[in-house]
Amino acid sequence: MKTNGLKIGLFILALCVSMVACKDDEATATKNSFKYNDKESEIGTAFGFAFGQTDVTGVYWVDMEFFEKTFTVHYVNGYPDSLSGKGDALVLAFLTNKETEIPTGEYVFKSTSSTYAAFTIDGEDATGLIVGYDAASQDDPAFVEISGGKVTVTKNADEYEFTFNLTTKINTTITGYYKGKPVFYTEKKKKSGNPQNWFPPKKQSI
């Protein structure tokens, strides 16, 4: 009886350890973050900006901005207006077939805007990784330009999953994952006439 009890106890212990390990793996796999070189930046805020139709009928710009949690986004009349804090931000210009959303699909980076096509990422817009931006200093941030790769998007109602696998012009990689319900904004809905106090893109490219 003691032997059976010991076996049952060991089985339960092994099962508990296995369940904890699985939960840890799941938590790691689904962490909202992007990684560049040896730094992993945890995403605190993410939202989209719909900029309307491109020169091609039925193809639209929808930018996604993923901010490290060290940033605070300040809003005016419910619209993102300015930043405070210091950190990194990943900005991706999606070309989609929907005006104010990013449908499920695989979005492949393209380096030229000569022909706009849905389910691509526009390399000539503000696409790239902004590194070490200090919102208080207003200095131009370092901007890591992307040269290839893809982003896989899964949309379920108003919830999104983004999986990043990108390469840069300096032969590094940007990988990561985000799952959440980002808000999408348009200029038409903006209530304040003031320009956003945002980071200037593509200055000091590296």
Side-chain angles (χ1 to χ4, degrees), residues 20-122:
V20 169
C22 287
K23 287 183 179 179
D24 288 343
D25 289 344
E26 183 179 353
T28 301
T30 59
K31 184 177 181 181
N32 285 350
S33 66
F34 52 84
K35 186 174 183 180
Y36 171 69
N37 284 340
D38 294 327
K39 180 185 178 183
E40 184 176 18
S41 300
E42 188 172 349
I43 297 171
T45 304
F47 47 68
F49 289 104
F51 290 109
Q53 186 170 261
T54 67
D55 294 338
V56 177
T57 301
V59 179
Y60 304 89
W61 275 298
V62 182
D63 283 8
M64 280 298 304
E65 301 184 359
F66 302 90
F67 296 95
E68 190 173 1
K69 69 175 184 179
T70 50
F71 283 113
T72 299
V73 180
H74 302 281
Y75 297 81
V76 173
N77 297 323
Y79 196 93
D81 181 76
S82 61
L83 294 173
S84 60
K86 181 178 180 180
D88 300 345
L90 179 61
V91 182
L92 300 173
F94 289 89
L95 293 174
T96 82
N97 58 359
K98 300 288 185 181
E99 186 172 6
T100 57
E101 64 182 75
I102 303 174
T104 294
E106 186 174 275
Y107 292 77
V108 179
F109 178 86
K110 67 182 189 66
S111 60
T112 176
S113 295
S114 58
T115 303
Y116 295 112
F119 296 97
T120 61
I121 298 170
D122 185 4

Side-chain angles (χ1 to χ4, degrees), residues 85-86 132-141:
K86 181 178 180 180
Y133 177 57
D134 187 349
S137 71
Q138 298 185 351
D139 291 335
D140 291 343

Side-chain angles (χ1 to χ4, degrees), residues 155-204:
K155 183 179 185 296
N156 184 12
D158 59 347
E159 184 174 69
Y160 283 83
E161 285 185 81
F162 294 87
T163 302
F164 316 114
N165 190 357
L166 301 163
T167 56
T168 74
K169 288 188 176 181
I170 53 176
N171 297 319
T172 55
T173 60
I174 301 170
T175 58
Y177 175 86
Y178 173 82
K179 183 177 182 179
K181 297 180 179 181
V183 178
F184 288 83
Y185 300 92
T186 69
E187 288 293 324
K188 296 177 183 178
K189 295 181 180 179
K190 186 177 181 181
K191 297 179 181 179
S192 171
N194 298 323
Q196 289 170 315
N197 182 21
W198 228 241
F199 39 71
K202 287 199 173 180
K203 303 291 181 68
Q204 300 183 18

